[in-house]
């Protein structure tokens, strides 16, 4: 006889320490299940993961039950809740295209989108290069030629490349804005954008988003 525990879908995310990566994978898996279904999520035993998954489940309307720790591994059971959409809005202005400089703004944007907030991102200055085809994030300065090594380490932990995170954000409903004069200056043509639906504008257009937003981030 197959037990309920054996029949439940299981998501193994051991080795991934970035909680927005974990939450996105859980969100994606839950999207294919009916309300009330249960999903087992296996992660490293980490206080940060435990705290963040509990916070995300509270805000997203899911129920976290029966966490179990076995040595270095922790298994969470998530009950899928009813769809929930926040009334809050998050707006970020991103100025930098550096490998490490992009981690925080895109991480917070993902966290906001995963919690159901409406997310708007404005790329200006060198950051517009992030939106171009074949963009690869690099460290600034003398470390630039050695950027491959931290990229590999970040990806292993769950920090996907910036364009992959932007793809996740668009999947979650985020809107992307780009500064037109910055695109001209850094030679990013509208035909070379890696994303559909990018709104090319300047300050006045994005000011509407900043004015409506509850949460602001400048990076």
């Amino acid at each position: 006889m197959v037990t309920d525990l054996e029949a439940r879908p299981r998501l193994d995310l051991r080795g991934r320490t970035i909680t927005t990566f974990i939450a996105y994978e859980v969100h994606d898996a839950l999207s294919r299940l009916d309300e009330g279904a249960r999903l087992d999520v296996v992660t490293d035993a980490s206080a940060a993961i435990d705290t963040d998954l509990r916070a995300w489940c509270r805000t997203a309307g899911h129920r976290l039950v029966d966490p179990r720790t076995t040595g270095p591994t922790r298994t969470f059971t998530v009950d899928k809740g009813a769809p929930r959409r926040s009334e809050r809005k998050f707006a970020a202005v991103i100025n930098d295209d550096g490998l490490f400089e992009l981690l925080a703004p895109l991480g917070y944007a993902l966290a906001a989108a995963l919690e159901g907030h409406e997310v708007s991102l404005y790329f200006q200055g060198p950051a517009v290069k992030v939106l171009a085809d074949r963009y690869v994030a690099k460290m600034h300065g003398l470390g630039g030629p050695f950027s491959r090594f931290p990229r590999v380490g970040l990806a292993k932990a769950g920090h996907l490349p910036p364009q992959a995170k932007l793809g996740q954000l668009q999947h979650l409903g985020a809107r992307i804005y780009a500064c037109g004069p910055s695109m001209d200056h850094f030679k990013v043509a509208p035909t070379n954008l890696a994303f559909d639906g990018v709104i090319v504008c300047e300050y006045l257009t994005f000011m509407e988003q900043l004015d409506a937003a509850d949460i602001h981030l400048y990076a």
Side-chain angles (χ1 to χ4, degrees), residues 2 4 14 21 30 38 48 55-56 69 73 77 83-84 89 104 116 122 125 127 141 149 157 173 181 188 214:
V2 178
D4 176 63
R14 287 175 292 182
F21 177 92
L30 289 174
R38 287 189 164 184
W56 177 68
T69 302
T73 298
T77 298
R84 179 184 294 181
K89 298 182 180 182
Y122 181 69
F149 300 104
V188 177
D214 308 286

Side-chain angles (χ1 to χ4, degrees), residues 136-211:
V136 177
K138 297 179 180 179
M139 293 188 295
H140 289 319
L142 297 176
F146 306 100
S147 298
R148 181 174 67 87
F149 300 104
R151 279 201 302 265
V152 170
L154 289 168
K156 185 177 180 181
H159 267 308
L160 298 181
Q163 288 196 340
K165 289 182 180 178
L166 286 173
Q168 291 179 329
L169 280 159
Q170 278 201 322
H171 180 71
L172 293 168
R175 291 193 297 269
I176 299 174
Y177 297 75
C179 173
S182 295
M183 290 175 62
D184 293 340
H185 180 78
F186 289 99
K187 297 180 172 54
V188 177
T191 54
N192 292 334
L193 290 171
F195 303 93
D196 295 328
V198 174
I199 301 166
V200 179
C201 60
E202 286 192 59
Y203 299 117
L204 293 171
T205 297
F206 200 69
M207 192 62 207
E208 283 187 308
Q209 305 307 313
L210 291 172
D211 185 54

Side-chain angles (χ1 to χ4, degrees), residues 43-132:
T43 73
D44 295 343
S46 158
I49 293 173
D50 186 279
T51 304
D52 269 26
L53 272 185
R54 291 177 187 277
W56 177 68
C57 284
R58 286 194 301 269
T59 56
H62 307 304
R63 191 167 68 97
L64 193 61
V65 297
D66 195 24
R68 309 174 298 282
T69 302
T70 307
T73 298
R74 191 158 176 80
T75 302
F76 301 90
T77 298
V78 181
D79 273 350
K80 180 177 178 177
R84 179 184 294 181
R85 186 70 186 174
S86 169
E87 296 299 320
R88 306 195 72 186
K89 298 182 180 182
F90 172 99
V93 177
I94 301 175
N95 298 280
D96 205 308
D97 67 331
L99 175 63
F100 292 112
E101 287 76 10
L102 287 166
L103 295 180
L106 294 183
Y108 279 115
L110 264 173
L114 284 164
E115 292 188 353
H117 302 337
E118 182 181 307
V119 172
S120 300
L121 305 174
Y122 181 69
F123 289 80
Q124 65 178 22
V128 297
K129 293 185 285 184
V130 179
L131 305 178

Side-chain angles (χ1 to χ4, degrees), residues 11 13 20-34 39 41 56 62 80 114 168 171-172:
L11 196 59
L13 297 172
T20 47
F21 177 92
I22 293 170
Y24 183 87
E25 293 298 313
V26 175
H27 167 86
D28 189 56
L30 289 174
S31 71
R32 296 187 289 273
L33 301 177
D34 294 331
L39 171 71
V41 183
W56 177 68
H62 307 304
K80 180 177 178 177
L114 284 164
Q168 291 179 329
H171 180 71
L172 293 168

